Every structure is written in C-alpha cells, then in structure tokens.
Amino acid sequence: MSIFLDFDGTITTEDTVTHLANFALRFQSSRQSSASASASASTSTQQPQDTSLSGIEGDPSRAGAAEEQKGDLSSRWDDVVRAYVSDYKSHVSSYAPRAEDRQRVEDEIAFLRSQKHVETSSLARINACALFRGIGPDAFREAGRELVRDGTVRLRPGFDRFVRAALDRGWHVSVVSVNWSAAFIEGACGFSGEDVSVFANEVREGDGAVLGPGALVGDSLLASSSEAAEEEDSSRERAGRNLTNSCDKHDAVREVMRKRDTRDKPFFYFGDSTTDMECLLAATRGVVIADDETSSLIKTLRRIGKRVPHVRDAEASEELVWAANFDEVMRSTLDLL
C-alpha cells in the first residue's frame, strides 16, 4: 500500500508559501548585513582610525546600502506576488466554460491544466527575482523545523501518529507538493528521507532557481517537454519538470509508482486543493483534508457530481471522503490505517 500526501494545507493547517518567502527575505537581509559588517571591519584595519561619530558607529553609507538592497528585494518579491495574482485572476475570468457550467470531471481537469502557463510564468519571475539565491538545502530544512517549533507553521492534529502507524504497517509514505523546496518540507514534517519520501521542487543554491524534483542530483522525476524532445543531448543540464499543477502531481504519483513497480497496487491520496484533484480521483481512496464543508475543493468535487461524505459517515465503498485532520481519519471505521 502507498500513501501520498500533499503538504501545504493538508499536512499543515495553512499554506506555507508566505512563511517560506519571509524566511528567504530574512536570510538575504542577514547575509547582506554580515557582508557589510565584514567589509567595514576590513576597511577599518587598513585605514587610520576614524574618531568622528560616523566612524564610531560604523559606516552609514554601508548600512544604508544594505537596507536599500533588503528593501529592493522585498519590493521585487511583492511585484512577483502581484503579477501572479493578476495573471491568475485574468485567466479564471476569461476561461470558458465558467465554473458553474463545468459539470463534468473532464471539463474541470481541462480548466486546471490550462493554468500551467500562469504557473510557469510565475516561476520565471521567482527565478529572476533570485529570492532564494545562496540558500542551501540544510538552511531550508532547518527553517522548516524552526517554523514548526515556534508555531508559525502548524501541522494538522494526528499527522505524526498517522505516518508512524502507516510505517509500522510497512506502507510507503510520500509527500507530493508544488511547494518550492523539498528540503523545507522535510524539515517541517520531521521524518527522515528513509521514512517519508518528498517529491517537490528544489532550489539550486548557486542562483536560487527553482527546479523540478530530483534535478539537483541529476535524476529528475519528470522530464520537461523541451528535455523530452532533446533526450539525445546528454550534455544538456537537466532542470526537470517543475511541479506546479494538478497534471504535474498526477504524473509524479504515477512515475513514483512506476519506479517502485507498484502501478497496479492500491494507493490513498490526501489533499486539500484543486491542485490535488486529479490525484484524488485516481486514488483507490481520496481523502480531502478541509476545516469544514465550505472547502472550495469539496464544492468543486460535488459540482462535478462526486459524493464526498465526512469520513465518519462514509461507507466502505466510498472513493472520496473528507476529514478535518488525521485524528479523524484514524478514528474512522474505514480501512485507512
């Protein structure tokens, strides 16, 4: 048996993207301040002692430059966020058929897949912004741990117990996410890579580019369309296909199961958003994680004709259920664990 879980909003109680970006902004600000301090110290050992107020308190021009760079990066990041929101709203408003007219599964999947260009454009802006430049996997991993420790990021009740119970049964447990950093997810979840496999985008430390899962070690989970077309060019560096939408996640799950030779075996999938919809529908049993039935994902599934009862009310044959947390899942009479 295999269990696949989304991360943001499923394992965690809310999306962590803002927290991840804020960590990166703090990291860059701290690094710039350290670099400015080192440069100032080096200058002071090579020049006569400055007894003026500015000399005693440090070089105001350097401090100002550091603060200006911090502000510039924050401003550029705000532009990235605004551009994404604008593109997304524009796409949704112009897409036909509109939401209320999409009554079939294939119509909704077509809509979800049509958003790929919005996501790839946003990734290009993120890479150009260089918010993550110079941040290695260890730093991302520790950020994930620290944000959970201090309560900034909260895991849904029962997550740890649920995963340990699955591992005790010898089941595969994997996280599949469109988040930008697999290492950040690993740190937040608190399990070793041997116990829980994470398939998510990865950040290349040198330039801060967000690559597809596995690309950093030269073993991309999914090839991008351009790479697939140029398969014979082995000298070309492989960035892999980024996970950004429902189709990518569905393909990632299928590829993981292919590599494990478990394609014909049953699997459960847990997710909270429409990005998870294709995986939820393909799973032996899909579990929607939601605070309540006002969830946009539950509403979407019901709009396209899917029954989604709460896990406590579900019959043994249900393909889709919902729960607010992993404790509810473990208390249910369904064979989810």
Side-chain angles (χ1 to χ4, degrees), residues 34 46 60 71 78 81 123 126-127 136 147 153 174 188 196 214 221 225 231 270 272 278 287 301 304 311 323 328:
S34 297
Q46 298 175 27
D78 288 343
V81 174
L123 270 179
I126 291 170
N127 292 342
L147 289 172
V153 171
S174 305
V196 176
L221 181 66
S225 56
E231 184 97 24
F270 293 72
D272 76 298
E278 290 192 56
V287 182
L301 287 166
I304 60 176
V311 68
E328 289 186 355

Side-chain angles (χ1 to χ4, degrees), residues 295-321:
S295 152
S296 62
L297 175 56
I298 293 177
K299 289 181 176 180
T300 299
L301 287 166
R302 289 175 174 169
R303 168 165 51 78
I304 60 176
K306 295 298 179 179
R307 173 177 156 81
V308 192
H310 189 275
V311 68
R312 67 172 172 266
D313 304 318
E315 299 174 1
S317 60
E318 302 285 4
E319 294 181 353
L320 289 168
V321 297

Side-chain angles (χ1 to χ4, degrees), residues 73-115:
L73 182 58
S74 296
S75 176
R76 281 186 284 139
W77 179 250
D78 288 343
D79 289 342
V80 169
V81 174
R82 279 193 293 268
Y84 172 76
V85 171
S86 175
D87 283 358
Y88 177 77
K89 288 182 176 179
S90 175
H91 179 72
V92 171
S93 65
S94 63
Y95 187 86
R98 302 184 69 81
E100 59 269 23
D101 297 321
R102 296 195 296 269
Q103 305 290 326
R104 301 180 304 165
V105 171
E106 53 266 38
D107 292 336
E108 195 63 26
I109 288 177
F111 166 68
L112 294 172
R113 293 186 175 193
S114 74
Q115 299 172 37

Side-chain angles (χ1 to χ4, degrees), residues 40 49-60 63:
S40 180
Q49 183 66 37
D50 184 353
T51 58
S52 68
L53 184 62
S54 64
I56 294 172
E57 295 181 346
D59 187 343

